[in-house]
Every structure is written in C-alpha cells, then in structure tokens.
Amino acid sequence: MKKNIAIIAGGYSSELEISLKSVETIHANLPKDKYNSYVVIVNSQGWNVRHNEALFTIDKNDFSFTKDGKKINFDCAYLTIHGTPGEDGKLQGYFDMMGIPYNSCNQKTSALTFDKWLCNQVLLNNGISCAKSVLLNDRSEMYNTKQIVTELGLPCFVKPNDGGSSFGISKVKETVQLIPAINRAFTEGNEVMIESFLDGTEVTCACYKDGDKLKTLPLIEIVSETEFFDYEAKYEGLSQEICPARVDDSVRDEVQELTKKIYQLLGLKGLIRIDFMLVNNKPSVIEINTAPGMSAESLVPKMVKQEDNLGLSVLFDKIIQEALKQ
C-alpha cells in the first residue's frame, strides 16, 4: 500500500519563497508508485493541504485533513521549510508528540544547528575550525563597534543568528558600516552573530544516510560575482557553482570525511549540507543546513546530477525510507 507523505513548505521567515520552490522539486520527484504525496503549506495564514488547485485545512490535533468526506492521515512528513518553524525544531517537536516520522533532525539537534553561534561553539569545542565570532542579543543596546572590530578585524560578516542563510547578511568593510548592518540583521532575527572574515575558497558538501552507511555527494565550489554568496548570488545567477569542485583529491576527501564526522557528532539526520571555507586548503565550517534548498537553482540537485546511479527520485526515496525507521 502506498504511503501518504506530507511535503511541508512555507514558514514564517523571508525564505518562504525559496521553500515554495523546493517543495515543487520534491513533489515532482517522489516515486509515484510508492507514495501519495501532498503539499502542505504552513504559514501565517494557517496550515493547509494544496491538492489539485484546492486547499484543505489541516487538523492540528492529529495532522490530518478531510477530502470528499474521507479523512487522510500521513505516514511521514518531509520538511522543506527553510527557517522557522521547520529548521529550528518547532515542527519536529510537534511531530514527535503526534508520533509521525519525519525526514530531518530531531527537535534538539534542529534547535542547536539553527543557533549558528551556539553550534559553532560546540564544533570548536570538538576541534572543528570555525570563524571567530561574537553574539549580540539585545537590539536596543549601544554596541562598542571599535571593540568588535578589534576582536574580529575587517572585513567581517554580520548575519541573523537565528535566521536562514540568505537574508539580513552584510559584509562590513568599515567600522561605520557596522551599526547599520547590525540593525539590518535584527530585522530578520532576534539575535545577531558577527564573524571574522575567512579568506579562501568556498565549497559545500551534502551528506545523507543510506542504510547503515553515511554517503556524501560531490563537492561544489562557489565563486560568487557579488561580495559573498548572498540571495542574488544563490538564486539570481550571480555565481559560478562548479561541480565537482576544483580541489585536490586529498582536500575533497578531508571535507567529505569532516562532513560525516559532524553528521555523527551532532546527531544529524536526513539530507544535510555543510558549507566550508578552505583557508590554505584547510576547511572551516561556515554553516550547517539541515533543510537544504531543492529549487532548480539550488546546490543539492546540481550535486545529484554529478553522482553516478543516483537521481532525485532515488535520493528522496532513500530519505523517506530512513525516516520511516523511526
């Protein structure tokens, strides 16, 4: 019997638009002979199933909906929300209470990885390189910009600590730019992280569990035409995304093994992507993405095209089969 899969998109952040693109890729590529897939939109207007141009309200008491007088329950949830409430653990906690398996990290791990600064401290404490950073959690405070610059240097990056990776980020080259950048980041999150600049080659690596084995996909090298890999670079074609990355085999292997190590260390689950900066060919973690984008412009689909004997349908099937083991 086919399993009913809820592919959940939307969210409450500025990344809603990207999530809505990702859900179309997943919905189109789930094996139709194994799954009945339904798109579930979670946003400020409510929780609704979008099916055949109609909307059906989700009953949050058991995460079901009723169509033509028939109640439909879900066997598994595939979260593809970028940002809150799909990457920060909120929906994971809900599905844990409902007893419904899902594709992504559990509530605790999702909350940890969504808190960029705290996650970096865990990585650093385990000997994994990250940029130096400071955390700001009071938007009304008058911050000592000279002290921040003394500690981190220039240029530096200012970003929401509890937001997605595409909005509210600034590259600051002069001290006078710091306060406007902090204010901008606070419009996208409740906390702000400022990071030191890492000068090197940016690469990204995806990882997933296939049975008893952890597998990685080919590395992508990112060459941005903008100041950094921001929204325009990611989604408006202002970057080169070279797959496989132009790095030595030894560097590739080190990045892939480090990705697997982090996957196990943090208890990651499903398909994840970790962004690195190679500084003198040594990887430093930039960010961990527990719900990587799946739009036509996104990185993971481009990785999959370079992997022998793997397509998106096969990959998504493996992710769901792993989730159903819960």
Side-chain angles (χ1 to χ4, degrees):
M1 181 180 295
K2 291 184 181 182
K3 300 287 188 181
N4 291 332
I5 310 298
I7 314 173
I8 304 173
Y12 308 136
S13 76
S14 298
E15 294 194 281
L16 182 148
E17 176 188 344
I18 304 165
S19 175
L20 295 178
K21 292 180 179 179
S22 292
V23 77
E24 297 301 333
T25 300
I26 299 169
H27 182 58
N29 285 281
L30 279 189
K32 302 298 187 289
D33 59 330
K34 299 180 71 170
Y35 307 113
N36 298 312
S37 60
Y38 299 87
V39 173
V40 179
I41 307 298
V42 172
N43 57 26
S44 57
Q45 283 72 52
W47 297 20
N48 296 286
V49 175
R50 190 181 70 197
H51 187 64
N52 293 336
E53 306 302 321
L55 290 179
F56 303 89
T57 301
I58 287 283
D59 183 349
K60 296 178 186 177
N61 291 303
D62 60 0
F63 197 67
S64 68
F65 75 102
T66 301
K67 179 177 178 291
D68 299 329
K70 180 181 178 182
K71 185 175 182 177
I72 297 176
N73 295 96
F74 291 105
D75 299 294
C76 182
Y78 196 117
L79 282 79
T80 185
I81 290 177
H82 313 309
T84 187
E87 271 188 294
D88 57 0
K90 292 184 175 68
L91 280 178
Q92 287 83 352
Y94 168 79
F95 287 122
D96 285 340
M97 290 191 295
M98 293 296 104
I100 298 172
Y102 50 89
N103 66 303
S104 65
C105 307
N106 64 23
Q107 189 275 333
K108 180 179 71 173
T109 301
S110 297
L112 171 64
T113 55
F114 197 67
D115 186 324
K116 298 180 180 71
W117 185 86
L118 183 59
C119 186
N120 281 4
Q121 305 318 300
V122 173
L123 296 176
L124 288 166
N125 286 338
N126 283 274
I128 297 169
S129 177
C130 305
K132 290 179 62 177
S133 62
V134 297
L135 179 68
L136 313 180
N137 52 25
D138 184 351
R139 67 183 67 207
S140 64
E141 185 174 336
M142 296 297 292
Y143 290 103
N144 188 330
T145 56
K146 290 184 178 179
Q147 181 179 336
I148 292 171
V149 169
T150 299
E151 184 173 349
L152 301 180
L154 290 173
C156 62
F157 283 99
V158 180
K159 62 178 71 173
N161 184 53
D162 51 350
S165 60
S166 298
F167 295 92
I169 304 178
S170 302
K171 183 177 181 180
V172 170
K173 298 180 179 180
E174 300 176 12
T175 303
V176 70
Q177 298 173 337
L178 202 50
I179 291 299
I182 291 170
N183 291 337
R184 181 185 178 206
F186 267 126
T187 66
E188 295 289 342
N190 295 313
E191 295 180 329
V192 170
M193 180 170 73
I194 307 178
E195 284 185 314
S196 61
F197 175 68
L198 297 175
D199 189 8
T201 300
E202 185 170 353
V203 298
T204 186
C205 181
C207 184
Y208 66 99
K209 195 171 183 183
D210 184 3
D212 295 329
K213 294 183 178 180
L214 279 180
K215 293 186 177 180
T216 53
L217 295 174
L219 268 61
I220 285 183
E221 175 186 350
I222 297 166
V223 182
S224 178
E225 297 174 16
T226 56
E227 282 283 352
F228 57 96
F229 196 46
D230 57 5
Y231 182 90
E232 287 76 17
K234 288 180 182 180
Y235 301 107
E236 295 180 7
L238 296 180
S239 67
Q240 297 179 59
E241 295 162 0
I242 301 162
C243 189
R246 301 170 299 182
V247 297
D248 292 342
D249 290 353
S250 60
V251 175
R252 176 202 64 203
D253 294 345
E254 182 177 0
V255 170
Q256 291 179 329
E257 288 306 310
L258 181 54
T259 300
K260 292 178 183 179
K261 177 182 177 179
I262 295 170
Y263 195 106
Q264 294 173 310
L265 172 68
L266 299 183
L268 301 174
K269 183 169 171 277
L271 174 67
I272 63 95
R273 199 192 79 233
I274 303 180
D275 303 332
F276 297 91
M277 189 67 74
L278 300 177
V279 182
N280 297 321
N281 280 333
K282 301 302 292 183
S284 290
V285 174
I286 301 174
E287 188 167 6
I288 297 173
N289 302 276
T290 59
M294 288 294 169
S295 70
E297 299 84 12
S298 297
L299 296 167
V300 171
K302 295 175 182 177
M303 296 176 181
V304 172
K305 287 181 180 179
Q306 297 295 322
E307 185 77 344
D308 293 336
N309 303 314
L310 185 69
L312 288 175
S313 293
V314 174
L315 178 61
F316 295 148
D317 185 29
K318 291 179 184 293
I319 300 306
I320 290 174
Q321 290 303 311
E322 186 64 29
L324 290 171
K325 293 179 183 178
Q326 285 182 221

